[in-house]
């Protein structure tokens, strides 16, 4: 018989890590936040009521863990994750484009970032709504507005 906590960890460790890395753009911090997320999930597993899927419950914990970390930095007036890691395959053009995308992404609110990252990771509107505690309609509108705002900021940056 397999351990349900081990199954949860094996099934969701990579998606949770990718979400957190996309939010903070730092592999080391994303690893720490992933670890913290699963510790909280393991401790609270007995209180999981299955009102939502295990996946959305876990991502809600990951999001709150991330937001708590961001709040710690903002209270100290520090810039969280000031040195993003670059993934581009080497050309100066790719690196410049990636930096511009990241700088644009950082101009969005935490809510807008969360909406875009979760949607990009394949979450349905319903699942995102469960994670954020909002209706599908407000999630759809929020994603549309976040994309529009990202595009506006990106095009403004290209003009500089």
């Amino acid at each position: 018989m397999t351990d349900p906590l081990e199954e949860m960890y094996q099934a969701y460790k990579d998606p949770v890590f990718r979400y957190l890395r996309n939010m903070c753009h730092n592999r080391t911090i994303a690893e720490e936040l992933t670890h913290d997320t699963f510790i909280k999930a393991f401790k609270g597993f007995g209180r999981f009521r299955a009102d939502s899927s295990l996946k959305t419950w876990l991502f809600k914990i990951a999001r709150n863990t991330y937001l708590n970390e961001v709040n710690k930095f903002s209270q100290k007036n520090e810039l969280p994750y000031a040195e993003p890691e670059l993934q581009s395959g080497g050309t100066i053009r790719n690196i410049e484009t990636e930096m511009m995308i990241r700088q644009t992404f950082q101009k969005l609110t935490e809510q807008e970032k969360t909406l875009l990252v979760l949607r990009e990771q394949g979450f349905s509107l319903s699942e995102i709504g469960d994670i954020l505690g909002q209706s599908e309609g407000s999630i759809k509108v929020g994603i549309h507005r976040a994309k529009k705002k990202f595009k506006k900021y990106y095009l403004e940056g290209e003009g500089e």
Side-chain angles (χ1 to χ4, degrees), residues 71-78:
N71 287 337
K72 285 181 200 173
F73 278 106
S74 66
Q75 289 172 356
K76 296 177 187 175
N77 291 323
E78 295 177 8

Side-chain angles (χ1 to χ4, degrees), residues 19 23 60 63-64 66-67 70-71 105-119 125 128-147 149:
Y19 164 71
M23 292 301 290
K60 190 179 290 190
R63 179 175 186 268
N64 289 336
Y66 167 75
L67 291 175
V70 168
N71 287 337
F105 188 73
Q106 292 306 316
K107 293 177 183 177
L108 301 176
T109 66
E110 294 303 325
Q111 177 81 0
E112 292 163 338
K113 291 178 200 177
T114 298
L115 288 169
L116 294 178
V117 169
L118 290 174
R119 190 63 171 161
L125 297 176
I128 296 170
D130 287 344
I131 292 168
L132 301 179
Q134 297 178 3
S135 70
E136 283 186 47
S138 59
I139 295 299
K140 189 173 184 178
V141 168
I143 289 171
H144 173 76
R145 288 179 180 163
K147 285 179 179 179
K149 189 173 177 183

Side-chain angles (χ1 to χ4, degrees), residues 54-117:
L54 183 62
K55 178 181 175 183
T56 58
W57 177 74
L58 191 57
F59 272 81
K60 190 179 290 190
I61 294 170
R63 179 175 186 268
N64 289 336
T65 301
Y66 167 75
L67 291 175
N68 288 339
E69 189 71 12
V70 168
N71 287 337
K72 285 181 200 173
F73 278 106
S74 66
Q75 289 172 356
K76 296 177 187 175
N77 291 323
E78 295 177 8
L79 286 175
Y81 328 121
E83 297 184 23
E85 300 164 353
L86 295 176
Q87 304 295 324
S88 291
T91 68
I92 298 291
R93 186 82 175 137
N94 287 346
I95 292 171
E96 287 174 356
T97 301
E98 189 169 336
M99 283 301 294
M100 193 162 157
I101 289 169
R102 290 193 179 183
Q103 288 170 349
T104 303
F105 188 73
Q106 292 306 316
K107 293 177 183 177
L108 301 176
T109 66
E110 294 303 325
Q111 177 81 0
E112 292 163 338
K113 291 178 200 177
T114 298
L115 288 169
L116 294 178
V117 169

